[in-house]
Amino acid sequence: MTKNIFRLALMATALTLWGCSSHDDEPQNDSPLYITISTDIDPMTRVYTTGNKQIFGNGDKVSIYAWTGAKDVAPSADTRVLNNAINVYDQSSGTWTPETPMLWKNPVEKHYFIGVHPVNENPVDDLSKVPFTYNNTFSYYNDVYVAVNNTGLLSSANPVSLTFKHVMAKILVELTYRDQFGGGIPDNVEGVTLTNTATDATINYLTGVVTPSQDRHDFEVRPLSSEHRLYESVIIPQDGINTITVRIGGEDFTYTHPTDIKLTPGTVTKIVLSVGRDGIKFGNMDIISWTETPAINGNTSGYNMAQYITDPAKTDMIYSLVDKEGNKGRIYEMDYTADYKLDDILAENTTDINSLTSFVARKLWDVQPSNAPKMMFDAGCSAFASTEPTSGNYLMGRNYDFCHKEADGKEAEIAAIVVKTHPAGGKKAVSVVDGYWLGMKRGFFTDGKTDLSMLMAAPYAFMDGINEDGFAIGVLHLDGKPTVQNETGKKNVAMNVAMRMLLDKAADVNEAVALLNQYNMHMTSPAGGSFHFYMADAKGKYAIVEYVSENGDIEESPWKIDVMTDNDMYRYVTNFYVSEYMKDTPYGINKSEHGKDRYEKMLRALWNYDFKTNTYEAVNLLDAVSQAPNTKDPTSHTQWSSLYNLTNKTLTLYLLREFYGAQVYEFNL
């Protein structure tokens, strides 16, 4: 089985772009010398963000030009040392590959270099006067950045350093709507237009100066979302624009600034306008460095906006997401570095998903929304614990089964988000989130429409996870009434918050149970019913934790905690109660059919293995109890399978029942 192992470490900030080989240490003779280039990037739009650094994305290309002679006068194309030498970035290896070898002209003449992104598709005759036309179809091509190294380098100076900088500007129009529109955002906003706008220019690659054309047009600013609040576009730096028109329901609302609005390279000009039936009121205008506003990169960057997040550290965190398969949008990895304020929410007596999402908006977002955010939670699932016979390592396996439905009844494709957390004073952990519960479907990061703000809720939305001590937990659905505990003297806690608390604070199963006993648990499923926990630790302990009715009364809400452990029959679980209190109810092990076939498969396999499985056997068992789509069970379809090595503190993740011959994602603490 081929494994691609992705470690939980950030990429280096300096990237090197290599030819076929390097000969820096060879004597200067007539043998060919290959050019190597190292690149740094000033803050830009179409790049991945990792920490406070910027890196190119997988498959990005740059054009490289080089010449000898005068540093301020680039020669004609036929005499250049390099003429549009295209290099391609491979994010998985962190290397650049030239499409054709790049050679120094000789070892004694000084060389001068220019790098350009995006690449030039057409020949460039004059590097000091390169035509540019705004591309309405592919916004990616509008954000041009250029690197110049005119220090005069010899071949002994390999690698050549290039730092890319913006040459374009950006405009952001933020709209608010006054009471004349009913206090909300109208749903018939048709667009935002600038008048007297240049959409053609020439770029001097040697100086980075952009000269706009005198030919002017109306210019449509691109919407950042469907909410008609933020509009943003990369634009040619220029003067002469002073009128902005907002069209609502066929009616134009026009604002004219008393002076020209100056758009300058490498900055965002942010204009706030308040729109009412009686016209537009000017709020303010700010000129902001791109560095300080990663939250408003928007669709022109290739990534979506996070419109309620303005803190640069939080936006850096959000845009640090990495698509682990390049560009499939199925699985992302997120390094959650912000404070998700666990102690604050534990003090708030949260009882349901609505109080959790309200907390996220109030405490974790920087801008308060006009409407409350949306978040849901549910789970089908199977889980088990076993021991590796040779190493003695303890394992926990878990399938996450759920079938999300679109409005047309078809299954929605989800994105799995692997979230790394390392809270101050808490335990490091890795957990897996179903992005759909946060409103994020497959490919959400770059789909041009999904707001990324709800990623701030990711620590509270996981389905299973493991911490640095080897304690792991998963949640599984139960039919029946929601859980409601009301013991005097205890604070309330919603299930999602409780799971976060356990990963952050519990070293083992015993500590987890002790923590749960300090709170009144509240569990409710949107589909009706409740949940139970399956947990295991690096000491070999395992447990099923259920909340039950002491008399097995299915008409009352479950309220009594029941911990089942130290018995082999509690090493596996699906979607019915196993507690003695509930076993003979319609939702208990003796009468429920919900997950019974999966339960019996695990029972037979684990007893046959004497509860000892190597990794291969554990994966076979996950496969055997996984669910294909479109079966009779409405919660069917295994979205992912997690195999935790509790001793080694690792998670191996298998997507969509791809157990054999597919990529395996291994995340190490």
Side-chain angles (χ1 to χ4, degrees), residues 65-324:
Y65 299 88
W67 68 96
T68 59
K71 67 177 182 179
D72 298 325
V73 180
S76 59
D78 58 346
T79 61
R80 295 171 193 158
V81 177
L82 297 177
N83 185 34
N84 198 24
I86 294 176
N87 291 259
V88 184
Y89 185 58
D90 180 355
Q91 189 179 16
S92 63
S93 62
T95 59
W96 292 81
T97 302
E99 293 184 348
T100 57
M102 301 190 300
L103 299 175
W104 296 87
K105 180 179 180 180
N106 56 56
V108 295
E109 289 187 77
K110 292 182 178 180
H111 290 60
Y112 308 97
F113 294 85
I114 288 174
V116 181
H117 181 84
V119 297
N120 287 306
E121 304 292 343
N122 300 312
V124 175
D125 295 326
D126 186 349
L127 294 176
S128 67
K129 196 174 182 180
V130 182
F132 171 86
T133 298
Y134 188 86
N135 192 312
N136 288 311
T137 304
F138 299 104
S139 61
Y140 156 73
Y141 289 105
N142 297 318
D143 185 20
V144 179
Y145 34 103
V146 177
V148 179
N149 189 325
N150 59 5
T151 56
L153 299 177
L154 302 177
S155 61
S156 58
N158 251 351
V160 175
S161 176
L162 292 173
T163 299
F164 288 81
K165 298 182 178 180
H166 284 294
V167 298
M168 292 295 164
K170 188 190 290 188
I171 188 165
L172 171 65
V173 179
E174 179 177 345
L175 301 179
T176 60
Y177 299 91
R178 300 203 292 277
D179 291 342
Q180 294 98 319
F181 289 106
I185 300 176
D187 58 7
N188 58 345
V189 181
E190 298 172 34
V192 174
T193 302
L194 309 178
T195 60
N196 195 40
T197 307
T199 56
D200 295 280
T202 57
I203 305 173
N204 186 334
Y205 284 171
L206 282 78
T207 63
V209 173
V210 180
T211 303
S213 167
Q214 295 304 307
D215 188 17
R216 300 292 175 119
H217 310 273
D218 287 345
F219 179 89
E220 294 286 337
V221 186
R222 297 169 63 90
L224 281 184
S225 73
S226 60
E227 293 189 358
H228 312 305
R229 198 177 73 85
L230 296 175
Y231 291 78
E232 179 193 79
S233 287
V234 172
I235 193 169
I236 292 170
Q238 57 190 286
D239 298 329
I241 300 171
N242 66 359
T243 301
I244 302 173
T245 299
V246 181
R247 191 168 182 82
I248 304 175
E251 182 180 356
D252 288 342
F253 298 80
T254 300
Y255 169 73
T256 300
H257 200 61
T259 60
D260 285 350
I261 298 169
K262 185 177 179 62
L263 305 174
T264 56
T267 63
V268 182
T269 300
K270 179 181 178 181
I271 302 169
V272 180
L273 301 175
S274 178
V275 186
R277 294 287 183 193
D278 55 351
I280 293 181
K281 180 181 178 181
F282 177 72
N284 63 287
M285 180 164 59
D286 295 321
I287 309 298
I288 314 163
S289 168
W290 244 319
T291 311
E292 299 169 1
T293 57
I296 56 174
N297 282 343
N299 296 336
T300 55
S301 70
Y303 306 102
N304 297 341
M305 56 174 269
Q307 64 173 320
Y308 300 119
I309 310 302
T310 59
D311 183 334
K314 293 179 184 177
T315 53
D316 272 359
M317 176 186 78
I318 287 172
Y319 292 116
S320 73
L321 253 71
V322 176
D323 187 327
K324 301 305 295 185

Side-chain angles (χ1 to χ4, degrees), residues 370-593:
S370 56
N371 297 310
K374 293 182 179 180
M375 178 178 173
M376 295 183 68
F377 197 86
D378 209 340
C381 315
S382 308
F384 66 86
S386 63
T387 306
E388 283 191 331
T390 303
S391 66
N393 289 349
Y394 297 111
L395 306 178
M396 184 178 116
R398 180 257 171 67
N399 283 341
Y400 168 57
D401 304 331
F402 204 88
C403 186
H404 296 284
K405 297 292 187 180
E406 300 280 20
D408 60 4
K410 295 180 179 178
E411 181 178 357
E413 294 181 324
I414 76 156
I417 309 171
V418 177
V419 181
K420 301 176 295 175
T421 50
H422 27 82
K427 300 179 186 299
K428 293 184 295 183
V430 176
S431 56
V432 193
V433 172
D434 177 350
Y436 195 93
W437 297 127
L438 301 178
M440 298 174 183
K441 302 178 185 178
R442 181 170 301 176
F444 70 86
F445 197 37
T446 55
D447 65 7
K449 58 184 179 181
T450 302
D451 189 296
L452 303 179
S453 302
M454 279 304 291
L455 285 172
M456 295 301 299
Y460 298 107
F462 72 92
M463 310 305 297
D464 52 85
I466 184 174
N467 69 19
E468 64 183 55
D469 290 324
F471 168 77
I473 184 171
V475 62
L476 302 90
H477 183 88
L478 286 172
D479 296 323
K481 292 277 189 176
T483 293
V484 179
Q485 282 188 306
N486 286 307
E487 187 174 336
T488 303
K490 293 183 179 180
K491 285 188 174 294
N492 298 322
V493 67
M495 179 191 67
N496 309 67
V497 179
M499 290 179 65
R500 182 76 263 160
M501 172 184 69
L502 298 184
L503 268 197
D504 282 17
K505 297 177 181 289
D508 53 35
V509 168
N510 289 340
E511 288 189 10
V513 172
L515 282 167
L516 290 176
N517 275 311
Q518 297 175 24
Y519 291 86
N520 284 321
M521 179 62 66
H522 290 258
M523 294 179 173
T524 182
S525 163
S530 188
F531 300 90
H532 52 184
F533 297 129
Y534 192 77
M535 53 183 71
D537 63 34
K539 299 175 182 178
K541 187 90 168 181
Y542 52 87
I544 301 170
V545 178
E546 296 179 347
Y547 292 83
V548 303
S549 171
E550 192 169 32
N551 300 313
D553 184 355
I554 62 172
E555 296 303 320
E556 71 173 355
S557 295
W559 57 272
K560 178 183 177 65
I561 189 170
D562 192 9
V563 180
M564 289 144 284
T565 188
D566 298 331
N567 187 315
D568 287 336
M569 69 178 294
Y570 301 135
R571 286 183 177 270
Y572 41 92
V573 69
T574 56
N575 303 118
F576 44 73
Y577 287 94
V578 297
S579 167
E580 289 290 321
Y581 296 103
M582 303 292 286
K583 66 180 182 179
D584 290 319
T585 71
Y587 315 122
I589 185 173
N590 290 342
K591 293 185 178 181
S592 174
E593 294 298 320

